[in-house]
Amino acid sequence: MSGLAVVTGASSGIGREYARRLASTGVNLIAVGRRRERLEELATEFPDVSVQPVVADLSMRDGIETVIDAVAAQPVTMLINNAGVAHYKAFIDLPREQAEELVGVKVLAPTLLTNAIAPHMVARNAGQIVNVAGMIAFSGPASLEEVPLRRAVYASSLAYAVAFSQTLHAELSPHGIHVQVLLPGVVATEFHERQGMDLSAAPRMSAADVVTASLRGLELGEIVTAPGVEQDNLLHSVFTADLVAFGAQAPELATRYRE
């Protein structure tokens, strides 16, 4: 492989594994994260490729602009929107600043970075965009008995990534660009520890397996990649049902809403 990949959240977890895997195959990196020493370790580990560390907090508009400036006019061939933050809390207990941070990292940052990079991919008629979300994007209908985790803003931000990726792929695929949304379950990284959550007893997938699934999914042409779902027809059923409901609308008021 060759090319230039932008990886956000590259200082730990899934993002770091993406960076290491891509660099090991000869891909140059723009590695984005909050911890400079972690990003510089990547440059030391892979001296045969170019690793440009970009220290930025993607929950802040200034941080997003820092990355946009760093990638401007560069021949980016792959964008990995991976940066994450959780803040699992009941909605009424979620401080405004944490809500802003969550939406900034998981919605605004990937949207604006993609907006900055995609036109250059279109001009070259090639590129790959991966938006890392999670299976919890499908948890909206679950009761608190089924999924006790308070997650209204977090789950909805991941659901945005699913719809964003699917609709964006439809727009950009005629221009040679493939968009993938990656939906891991619980992964063995520092992510939950930084939120003060101990999930060591829960079955967890490795970050390496998650990245393996993503890269293989790109080879298979998948738009939605769920590393831990064996029966991919389940995903197809969900999206087919979505389209059936979408297509069933009519300009007349449904009977149940009439007096």
Side-chain angles (χ1 to χ4, degrees):
M1 294 180 66
S2 61
L4 175 62
V6 176
V7 182
T8 69
S11 56
S12 65
I14 295 172
R16 187 172 181 81
E17 184 62 31
Y18 267 119
R20 297 185 72 255
R21 190 77 62 88
L22 293 171
S24 69
T25 62
V27 176
N28 297 319
L29 298 175
I30 297 176
V32 182
R34 300 188 189 191
R35 289 176 280 185
R36 180 180 296 276
E37 71 281 0
R38 291 280 190 92
L39 301 178
E40 291 176 346
E41 286 173 6
L42 288 169
T44 301
E45 185 177 357
F46 297 98
D48 295 332
V49 300
S50 170
V51 179
Q52 178 184 346
V54 177
V55 179
D57 180 352
L58 294 183
S59 70
M60 307 292 291
R61 187 61 182 264
D62 287 350
I64 297 172
E65 293 297 335
T66 294
V67 181
I68 290 174
D69 290 344
V71 303
Q74 296 212 50
V76 176
T77 55
M78 177 180 279
L79 169 62
I80 309 291
N81 285 310
N82 164 75
V85 63
H87 298 320
Y88 303 118
K89 287 183 181 177
F91 183 74
I92 60 173
D93 297 328
L94 183 66
R96 176 178 173 179
E97 61 272 14
Q98 291 187 357
E100 289 180 345
E101 181 181 14
L102 208 165
V103 173
V105 170
K106 296 307 297 179
V107 176
L108 187 60
T111 302
L112 296 185
L113 293 181
T114 302
N115 181 259
I117 290 172
H120 301 286
M121 291 182 171
V122 169
R124 294 191 300 274
N125 205 45
Q128 295 174 318
I129 299 168
V130 177
N131 297 310
V132 180
M135 287 300 291
I136 206 168
F138 296 130
S139 71
S143 68
L144 286 179
E145 287 73 29
E146 294 169 303
V147 181
L149 191 66
R150 271 65 172 173
R151 63 197 184 282
V153 178
Y154 181 71
S156 59
S157 70
L158 301 189
Y160 170 84
V162 176
F164 176 58
S165 300
Q166 291 172 313
T167 54
L168 188 63
H169 179 81
E171 287 188 31
L172 298 184
S173 59
H175 301 284
I177 300 169
H178 188 91
V179 183
Q180 176 195 76
V181 59
L182 179 65
L183 302 168
V186 183
V187 184
T189 68
E190 304 168 28
F191 181 76
H192 294 97
E193 295 172 15
R194 294 202 303 271
Q195 313 300 318
M197 302 175 67
D198 182 8
L199 295 184
S200 57
R204 297 179 293 171
M205 184 175 288
S206 70
D209 280 351
V210 171
V211 173
T212 294
S214 173
L215 297 178
R216 177 58 177 155
L218 289 172
E219 293 176 355
L220 295 172
E222 291 183 347
I223 302 168
V224 179
T225 295
V229 176
E230 184 65 36
Q231 297 173 275
D232 62 348
N233 62 302
L234 295 176
L235 297 171
H236 295 307
S237 297
V238 170
F239 303 130
T240 298
D242 285 346
L243 288 175
V244 170
F246 177 72
Q249 59 188 321
E252 296 81 20
L253 190 65
T255 304
R256 65 186 178 279
Y257 300 127
R258 301 174 192 168
E259 294 183 2

